[in-house]
Amino acid sequence: MSRTQKTNTVRTGLIGVLVVAALVLISVNFDRIASTLSSSVTYTAYVGDTGGLETGDKVFLSGVHVGDVEDIDLDGDKVRIAFSVDGPRLGVDSEVSIKTLTVLGRKFLQVTPKGDKALSPDQPIPLEHTLHPLSPDRCARRPVHHREQLGHRPGHQRTGHPQSNP
């Protein structure tokens, strides 16, 4: 083997080792690299009740999965939810609501973008722009209110005639 062939063999071997090492580093740190290159923005919103929403649950915008719930913390008498959105920027009047994703009760965060002015990631969506989750417990506590909204008056049948007492 000539000296040039040995040099080429060593050079090819070193390049091969460097390429393999680079691939290993990229694969081990892929999540960090992808998040750095991502256009994802983390927003926060205040809600009165999480309704069973958990860290890792999905975030939807117009029915499309655009992110995940990253953090949930108590902040006084309300709850602060940090969530990522990989898509359109939210406006200052944007709204969030917690809804049920599956029949087993898995929740998701529904984001409704609103407002002409862009919402800064360090500006939280206020409690006034959030809809509380509907839970069986909340429904059970207010059945009279819902019946009255439907036109039911105590002491009357559905036909509107007074009930007869036997």
Side-chain angles (χ1 to χ4, degrees):
M1 201 191 273
S2 72
R3 180 169 232 185
T4 350
Q5 288 177 330
K6 284 184 180 181
T7 306
N8 284 341
T9 304
V10 169
R11 187 178 300 149
T12 303
L14 284 174
I15 291 173
V17 167
L18 290 174
V19 168
V20 169
L23 289 173
V24 168
L25 285 173
I26 289 171
S27 65
V28 168
N29 295 306
F30 185 75
D31 289 341
R32 284 187 223 150
I33 294 169
S35 67
T36 305
L37 300 175
S38 173
S39 63
S40 179
V41 177
T42 299
Y43 294 100
T44 57
Y46 284 104
V47 296
D49 182 357
T50 64
L53 187 74
E54 297 176 358
T55 302
D57 283 346
K58 295 180 179 187
V59 176
F60 285 90
L61 191 142
S62 300
V64 178
H65 177 226
V66 294
D68 298 300
V69 174
E70 295 179 354
D71 192 34
I72 300 175
D73 282 319
L74 282 175
D75 188 359
D77 62 344
K78 54 193 173 208
V79 180
R80 184 184 60 79
I81 299 173
F83 60 96
S84 62
V85 173
D86 187 13
R89 299 296 177 245
L90 301 182
V92 293
D93 297 324
S94 295
E95 297 175 344
V96 297
S97 59
I98 298 168
K99 299 192 175 189
T100 304
L101 182 64
T102 66
V103 293
L104 297 176
R106 188 78 179 179
K107 304 294 182 181
F108 72 94
L109 190 67
Q110 175 66 45
V111 179
T112 306
K114 290 185 176 181
D116 296 329
K117 187 178 173 190
L119 179 68
S120 169
D122 59 343
Q123 178 184 3
I125 297 172
L127 190 61
E128 298 78 36
H129 289 204
T130 61
L131 299 173
H132 299 289
L134 186 60
S135 66
D137 181 53
R138 281 187 60 209
C139 292
R141 283 186 268 147
R142 297 195 46 153
V144 174
H145 171 73
H146 295 298
R147 288 176 53 181
E148 289 170 357
Q149 280 184 326
L150 295 173
H152 177 79
R153 293 180 290 160
H156 289 79
Q157 294 177 352
R158 289 184 183 201
T159 59
H161 300 291
Q163 293 177 349
S164 59
N165 292 334

